[in-house]
Amino acid sequence: PSLKYLAQPIRLLLEYTGTKYEEKFYSCGDAPNYDKSCWFNEKEKLGMDFPNLPYLEDGDTKVVQSNAILRYIARKHNLCGETEEEQMRVDILENQAMDFRSGFAQLCYGDFITFVDFIMYELLDLHRMFHPECLDDYRNLRSFLDHFESLEKMAEYMKSGKFMKTPVNNKMAKWGNKKE
Ligand SMILES: N[C@@H](CCC(=O)N[C@@H](CS)C(=O)NCC(=O)O)C(=O)O
């Protein structure tokens, strides 16, 4: 399938400026290898200095870097700001927006777990054992617990004989003091 990502602001600008264009999509294969050969087989043959996706071909002109592509189109339609002040503000926003986008991409593609997740998982799981309905109104917390339990290493450990579900507390505790 095609996806929006970096090319979408370019599509929007092309549409807004009434520019005719043809799209070419490169789709990677499915998990786990996400085969990218359809792009890599062509990448070095496109005759570009820094081949990348997205790219724009306009006659013999080939442009890469999404912001350079946007600027290329915007210049033709006087959409880069007019005064020195406007252009400077446009440049700042262009780069600020890229930082904003990078943060979002990290969020979407990132795979992060820190030691506090281990503390929170254990603590929330104890509350769930104490009062099974306590997370019913908190979908985000339930999905956090599900996600944690589905991590390969955690799932394996929890299935194994090594995993200790109970007792939670010491013998003198009022709750959680028994091996079940
Ligand atoms: N700074 C570049 C980033 C381009 C980029 O990272 N493209 C990704 C797709 S979103 C890619 O797969 N490029 C192909 C490659 O690196 O060969 C831009 O804004 O266009």
Side-chain angles (χ1 to χ4, degrees):
S2 53
L3 48 100
K4 290 173 89 163
Y5 206 55
L6 286 174
Q8 191 67 5
I10 299 168
R11 292 186 189 101
L12 296 176
L13 188 61
L14 289 168
E15 294 286 342
Y16 180 77
T17 55
T19 312
K20 289 213 174 64
Y21 62 98
E22 264 176 50
E23 297 193 80
K24 180 169 170 66
F25 294 109
Y26 299 88
S27 300
C28 59
D30 291 326
N33 297 325
Y34 304 108
D35 175 40
K36 295 183 180 125
S37 54
C38 77
W39 162 244
F40 286 120
N41 290 340
E42 265 196 38
K43 182 172 175 171
E44 301 304 330
K45 296 181 200 145
L46 291 167
M48 297 179 203
D49 291 335
F50 302 103
N52 213 334
L53 292 169
Y55 66 81
L56 176 83
E57 278 186 320
D58 180 15
D60 289 336
T61 307
K62 294 180 180 179
V63 194
V64 284
Q65 289 298 339
S66 52
N67 284 338
I69 297 170
L70 284 163
R71 221 169 243 285
Y72 176 82
I73 303 160
R75 260 195 310 270
K76 294 183 192 277
H77 300 274
N78 197 22
L79 290 171
C80 292
E82 280 171 31
T83 64
E84 178 68 31
E85 163 81 11
E86 275 175 7
Q87 286 170 3
M88 177 268 288
R89 289 168 64 86
V90 164
D91 291 354
I92 293 173
L93 283 172
E94 170 194 3
N95 287 283
Q96 191 66 41
M98 211 24 135
D99 288 356
F100 192 21
R101 181 181 289 282
S102 306
F104 185 63
Q106 271 176 29
L107 181 69
C108 299
Y109 287 84
D111 186 12
F112 20 64
I113 180 161
T114 67
F115 77 91
V116 285
D117 293 301
F118 295 77
I119 302 173
M120 288 310 294
Y121 169 77
E122 164 63 10
L123 209 43
L124 289 168
D125 184 46
L126 288 181
H127 282 77
R128 191 169 53 169
M129 286 164 69
F130 184 79
H131 181 58
E133 294 80 36
C134 73
L135 299 180
D136 284 3
D137 291 339
Y138 302 96
R139 193 166 56 90
N140 56 343
L141 296 180
R142 291 199 314 274
S143 64
F144 168 71
L145 293 181
D146 291 345
H147 178 71
F148 190 95
E149 287 169 2
S150 70
L151 295 170
E152 203 180 321
K153 289 231 161 59
M154 294 299 100
E156 233 171 73
Y157 173 58
M158 289 176 191
K159 263 191 292 175
S160 76
K162 270 200 305 186
F163 179 61
M164 196 194 325
K165 185 82 183 164
T166 52
V168 175
N169 290 311
N170 216 330
K171 293 172 194 165
M172 50 289 218
K174 310 288 181 296
W175 179 85
N177 56 356
K178 295 204 176 59
K179 174 106 189 117
E180 284 165 21

